[in-house]
Amino acid sequence: MTLQAVGIIAEYNPFHNGHAYQIDQARQRTGADVVVAAMSGNWVQRGEPALMDKWQRTAAALAGGVDLVVELPTASALQPAHLFAAGGVRLLAALQCHWLAFGTEHPDMDYQRLMAHLPTNPATFKRFDQTYASLFQGYLREQTGITLNAANDILGFFYALANQRAGRPLTLLPLARRGSQHNDATITADTAFASATAIRSAALAGDWAAIEPVVPTSTLTRLQQTPLTSWPDFWPWLRYQLVSSDVTDLRQLYQITEGVEYRLKRAALASSTFATFMHAAKTKRYTYTRIQRQAAGILLQAKPAEMLAGPQYLRVLGYSAAGQAYLHQIKKQVALPLVSRADRDWQKGPGELDDRAGAIRTLLTGIDQDYGRIPVKKDDSE
Amino acid sequence: MTLQAVGIIAEYNPFHNGHAYQIDQARQRTGADVVVAAMSGNWVQRGEPALMDKWQRTAAALAGGVDLVVELPTASALQPAHLFAAGGVRLLAALQCHWLAFGTEHPDMDYQRLMAHLPTNPATFKRFDQTYASLFQGYLREQTGITLNAANDILGFFYALANQRAGRPLTLLPLARRGSQHNDATITADTAFASATAIRSAALAGDWAAIEPVVPTSTLTRLQQTPLTSWPDFWPWLRYQLVSSDVTDLRQLYQITEGVEYRLKRAALASSTFATFMHAAKTKRYTYTRIQRQAAGILLQAKPAEMLAGPQYLRVLGYSAAGQAYLHQIKKQVALPLVSRADRDWQKGPGELDDRAGAIRTLLTGIDQDYGRIPVKKDDSE
């Protein structure tokens, strides 16, 4: 029997009831045998360190119903929507997923049909690649009258676009999101759903009573028992890096252009906390998220070449028995090298950026992230 | 009346009774009107952060009898003996000092005459420039039978060499050192002299009773009242820098060659303290001091071009009334730009490395080091 897979691009930062609901829906709607997740590693799309490390988040995802977790490399995760989406689609297509399921505020929108409105002028097209979602929003409104407002709609559009460009290997499956909006800041008492943002705030404050109703037990236990990280933990290093680098060095890093290096250096010297730094660094031109991504790129000393290379390998973070069977089924046909154990060749080669991104976390928590680590197996008692 | 100056190349880390004795001797032996010191800034020759910052050390030196303190730039201070000496001689010659006084274990040695034994083959000569004192020691022993053993003798030799190369602007004045040897680790109870090394250890341990007999009151008070720094304070940043830099980046830094970058990176990840790091990084080939200098170069992200430029300006750190009069006398004839207040032009230009070296200290202590700072005036009540 050939197993069929539905893919999801996720961060699980942390895994909550909304994610579990999405996985159930994806299974029911497709009849897929396995659910595959391409998940951000230790740094996430909004330019922040993940709350828990990728191994804990993998274990929680497996407990929540995912069968196979591969790492969305730092180079794809720490990116604006179009590159984040392109990286995820590339991994899921390489893993021979049949469907791509994604949550959206408007599941009835025909994302594939939006592709008919892509600009035909290659120059315009390239411009979308280099800039941000907002540019495309304006274009689409002009061309079709359709306004993509919600963050997940925009992401959905970029999934469709990446899939289109890759020759449509995946069948798109937009799914209605359950519960709270993506950026809701607080947990509402009378529901089983909350945004990951609200859950992170509550977890950093140790408010377990608020979190308990909105996450599976396997997530709650991990949040209580593992080191949680956020930007303030990394701030002393970012500050030192900004102060000790000369502007010429900073300009060698990803997306550090247009004089932002001077403003970031000034803000670093003058700010004793990450919050005051961000306040000092923010302008109308640079969104909060964009500055956070620049800050993460500086902390990791990420170069343009490594950030723009796209996924170079499939790093397996964990699997269930079904996920392992699926891996066995496809392993001879995957289009990217499978990495099940990070060795020196990986560390000094294509995995160098991910290795640094993990090692910086290791300095803080003492928990090794990459070299020698092997995939997590699903704990069936959870 | 034309004032005449005797120059001293120093670190005053910290200023102690041996330094005060040397200054008295230099005045008596020369009849000079002013004593000028070229003093290391916030990083010293053995590759360590100075115990007190350059402003406190300047104030202590003025209290101890120095009339004018200029900064030996980081690019000259964090160097092996021959470049350290060359930088100091360049500054004192630019300041039109008549003599260069220096302490030595063998004041009767004719350092100038040693110059007769310099190799005449330019290739050999260049080799001395690029390597270390030990190479020359071997050569001199072969050529003359003279063995330079003590650290200060070697430094004396390099002062003579730098002076020779600069056209002999300074008259050499070797002075007998008083008291303890340079590297003595402990303070002996029955004497007024101790090594700076021993005094630093006692100060970091808060052993004021041991220090009190061997330093002027002005030093003791400062040691008790200002933030003292040592490598362990900077270790978290060095460790992060080594972990977050890829080896290609590390090889862009001063003296990071021959694969040492791999060993330092490995040692950093495995070591939670600076002491264990140094233990892991040390080999027969690389002395402790050399690794400390490499470590300081990495922490400051010092590039070969900026480390090899030599002094580009005269940064005035402090003066007495006589020192100020002397500055006034020479200011129209000095061969390097005088910097009495570090402004943006200095900060973004020739002072960039010194500014970074100070700013990293500022992150730790909260005390601004450079931008906008003006020279310390001698406090005549001390």
Side-chain angles (χ1 to χ4, degrees):
Chain A
M1 183 192 106
T2 304
L3 301 170
Q4 289 220 307
V6 56
I8 292 172
I9 300 167
E11 307 215 281
Y12 297 148
N13 184 34
F15 190 93
H16 56 56
N17 291 347
H19 296 129
Y21 173 81
Q22 185 191 37
I23 290 166
D24 286 343
Q25 269 199 302
R27 264 190 216 282
Q28 284 172 26
R29 293 275 302 273
T30 61
D33 306 290
V34 295
V35 175
V36 174
M39 186 188 80
S40 305
N42 287 316
W43 291 83
V44 300
Q45 207 234 336
R46 64 170 69 199
E48 290 177 353
L51 189 63
M52 292 194 286
D53 75 23
K54 58 192 180 192
W55 304 102
Q56 293 295 333
R57 281 155 52 235
T58 294
L62 295 173
V66 175
D67 294 298
L68 173 61
V69 182
V70 296
E71 181 170 359
L72 185 67
T74 307
S76 295
L78 268 181
Q79 294 283 17
H82 63 288
L83 294 173
F84 177 89
V89 165
R90 173 98 174 93
L91 292 184
L92 296 180
L95 286 164
Q96 310 196 358
C97 293
H98 190 87
W99 301 272
L100 166 58
F102 58 95
T104 165
E105 283 78 3
H106 300 106
D108 298 329
M109 190 178 307
D110 186 339
Y111 286 88
Q112 191 57 52
R113 280 199 60 194
L114 288 181
M115 295 303 108
H117 300 288
L118 286 177
T120 47
N121 177 348
T124 320
F125 205 74
K126 191 159 175 228
R127 194 157 161 253
F128 293 148
D129 243 12
Q130 291 170 338
T131 59
Y132 297 90
S134 58
L135 263 180
F136 182 79
Q137 285 174 283
Y139 177 85
L140 194 71
R141 197 162 42 232
E142 265 173 42
Q143 301 289 312
T144 67
I146 297 171
T147 301
L148 294 180
N149 265 329
N152 286 292
D153 285 346
I154 293 166
L155 209 44
F157 168 77
F158 283 116
Y159 290 147
L161 176 59
N163 192 43
Q164 168 93 351
R165 289 189 184 172
R168 298 176 62 175
L170 305 168
T171 300
L172 302 183
L173 179 65
L175 297 173
R177 285 168 54 80
R178 219 13 231 284
S180 151
Q181 292 300 304
H182 189 52
N183 281 312
D184 278 1
T186 54
I187 299 176
T188 311
D190 56 352
T191 159
F193 299 95
S195 74
T197 304
I199 297 170
R200 287 195 298 276
S201 296
L204 288 169
D207 186 358
W208 309 122
I211 295 172
E212 192 274 332
V214 296
V215 300
T217 310
S218 50
T219 294
L220 182 64
T221 310
R222 287 189 167 78
L223 287 172
Q224 291 172 323
Q225 295 175 355
T226 32
L228 306 182
T229 65
S230 62
W231 254 120
D233 300 317
F234 294 89
W235 166 239
W237 291 329
L238 172 63
R239 191 182 188 202
Y240 152 74
Q241 187 64 262
L242 280 165
V243 166
S244 69
S245 296
D246 64 34
V247 289
T248 315
D249 287 339
L250 290 176
R251 281 193 289 265
Q252 306 304 311
L253 302 179
Y254 185 56
Q255 292 213 325
I256 306 301
T257 54
E258 301 169 350
V260 70
E261 61 276 17
Y262 292 101
R263 203 172 63 257
L264 295 180
K265 265 184 91 80
R266 271 200 306 277
L269 201 57
S271 309
S272 60
T273 68
F274 183 70
T276 53
F277 165 74
M278 287 298 295
H279 185 75
K282 206 182 158 322
T283 64
K284 278 194 181 173
R285 176 164 189 174
Y286 289 93
T287 63
Y288 193 92
T289 299
R290 188 166 175 194
I291 296 174
Q292 280 205 154
R293 277 197 214 111
Q294 289 174 325
I298 290 167
L299 184 77
L300 306 184
Q301 304 205 49
K303 313 296 181 307
E306 47 190 5
M307 288 298 284
L308 293 172
Q312 303 294 303
Y313 52 83
L314 291 160
R315 175 85 191 274
V316 181
L317 294 179
Y319 38 65
S320 66
Q324 193 167 19
Y326 182 72
L327 257 187
H328 187 74
Q329 172 184 304
I330 62 165
K331 71 180 178 192
K332 295 205 170 144
Q333 306 141 50
V334 289
L336 289 169
L338 268 174
V339 177
S340 286
R341 185 191 193 103
D343 60 12
R344 292 250 182 266
D345 288 342
W346 173 87
Q347 200 177 30
K348 292 188 179 180
E352 195 175 356
L353 176 61
D354 285 330
D355 186 57
R356 298 199 316 267
I360 291 170
R361 188 183 182 96
T362 299
L363 290 187
L364 207 62
T365 64
I367 299 166
D368 283 334
Q369 290 300 307
D370 288 292
Y371 178 70
R373 294 280 309 240
I374 56 170
V376 177
K377 284 189 187 168
K378 178 177 180 175
D379 176 355
D380 287 316
S381 70
E382 276 192 320
Chain B
M1 183 192 109
T2 303
L3 301 171
Q4 289 221 307
V6 56
I8 292 171
I9 300 168
E11 305 214 283
Y12 299 149
N13 184 34
F15 190 95
H16 56 56
N17 290 348
H19 297 130
Y21 173 80
Q22 184 190 40
I23 291 166
D24 286 343
Q25 268 198 304
R27 267 190 214 282
Q28 283 173 28
R29 294 275 301 276
T30 62
D33 306 289
V34 295
V35 175
V36 174
M39 184 188 81
S40 305
N42 287 317
W43 291 83
V44 300
Q45 207 234 335
R46 63 169 69 198
E48 289 177 354
L51 189 63
M52 293 193 285
D53 75 23
K54 58 193 179 189
W55 304 102
Q56 293 295 334
R57 280 155 52 233
T58 294
L62 295 174
V66 175
D67 293 300
L68 173 61
V69 182
V70 296
E71 181 171 359
L72 184 67
T74 307
S76 295
L78 267 181
Q79 294 282 19
H82 63 289
L83 295 174
F84 177 88
V89 166
R90 172 97 173 96
L91 291 184
L92 296 180
L95 285 163
Q96 312 198 357
C97 292
H98 190 88
W99 301 271
L100 165 59
F102 58 95
T104 166
E105 283 78 2
H106 302 104
D108 299 330
M109 188 175 310
D110 187 340
Y111 287 86
Q112 191 57 53
R113 279 198 61 194
L114 289 181
M115 295 303 108
H117 300 287
L118 285 179
T120 47
N121 176 348
T124 321
F125 205 72
K126 190 158 175 233
R127 194 156 159 255
F128 294 149
D129 244 12
Q130 291 169 338
T131 60
Y132 297 90
S134 58
L135 263 180
F136 183 81
Q137 285 174 284
Y139 177 85
L140 195 70
R141 196 162 42 233
E142 267 174 40
Q143 300 290 311
T144 67
I146 296 173
T147 300
L148 294 181
N149 265 331
N152 287 293
D153 284 347
I154 293 166
L155 207 46
F157 167 77
F158 282 115
Y159 290 147
L161 176 58
N163 191 42
Q164 167 95 351
R165 289 187 185 174
R168 298 176 63 175
L170 304 168
T171 301
L172 302 181
L173 179 66
L175 297 172
R177 285 167 54 81
R178 213 22 224 288
S180 153
Q181 293 300 301
H182 189 54
N183 282 314
D184 278 0
T186 54
I187 300 176
T188 310
D190 56 351
T191 160
F193 299 96
S195 73
T197 304
I199 297 170
R200 287 195 298 276
S201 296
L204 287 170
D207 186 358
W208 310 121
I211 296 171
E212 193 274 333
V214 296
V215 300
T217 310
S218 50
T219 294
L220 182 64
T221 310
R222 286 188 167 78
L223 286 173
Q224 291 172 323
Q225 295 174 356
T226 34
L228 306 182
T229 65
S230 62
W231 254 121
D233 301 316
F234 293 89
W235 166 239
W237 292 329
L238 172 64
R239 192 182 187 202
Y240 152 74
Q241 186 64 260
L242 280 165
V243 166
S244 69
S245 296
D246 63 35
V247 288
T248 315
D249 286 339
L250 290 175
R251 282 193 289 264
Q252 306 304 311
L253 301 178
Y254 185 57
Q255 291 213 324
I256 305 301
T257 53
E258 302 168 349
V260 71
E261 62 275 19
Y262 292 102
R263 202 173 64 255
L264 295 180
K265 265 184 90 80
R266 269 200 307 276
L269 200 57
S271 310
S272 62
T273 69
F274 183 69
T276 53
F277 165 74
M278 286 298 295
H279 185 75
K282 209 182 155 324
T283 64
K284 277 195 182 172
R285 175 161 190 180
Y286 288 93
T287 63
Y288 193 92
T289 299
R290 188 168 175 193
I291 296 174
Q292 280 205 153
R293 278 197 214 111
Q294 288 173 326
I298 290 168
L299 184 76
L300 306 183
Q301 304 205 48
K303 313 297 180 307
E306 47 190 5
M307 287 299 285
L308 293 171
Q312 301 295 302
Y313 51 84
L314 291 160
R315 175 83 192 273
V316 181
L317 294 179
Y319 38 63
S320 66
Q324 191 166 21
Y326 182 72
L327 257 187
H328 187 75
Q329 172 184 303
I330 63 164
K331 71 180 176 191
K332 295 205 172 146
Q333 307 141 50
V334 289
L336 289 169
L338 269 174
V339 177
S340 288
R341 184 190 193 102
D343 60 11
R344 294 249 182 265
D345 288 343
W346 173 87
Q347 200 177 30
K348 293 186 178 181
E352 196 175 356
L353 176 61
D354 286 330
D355 186 57
R356 297 200 315 264
I360 291 170
R361 188 182 182 96
T362 299
L363 290 187
L364 207 62
T365 65
I367 299 165
D368 284 333
Q369 290 299 308
D370 287 290
Y371 178 69
R373 295 278 311 238
I374 56 171
V376 177
K377 285 190 186 170
K378 179 178 180 175
D379 175 354
D380 287 316
S381 71
E382 277 192 321

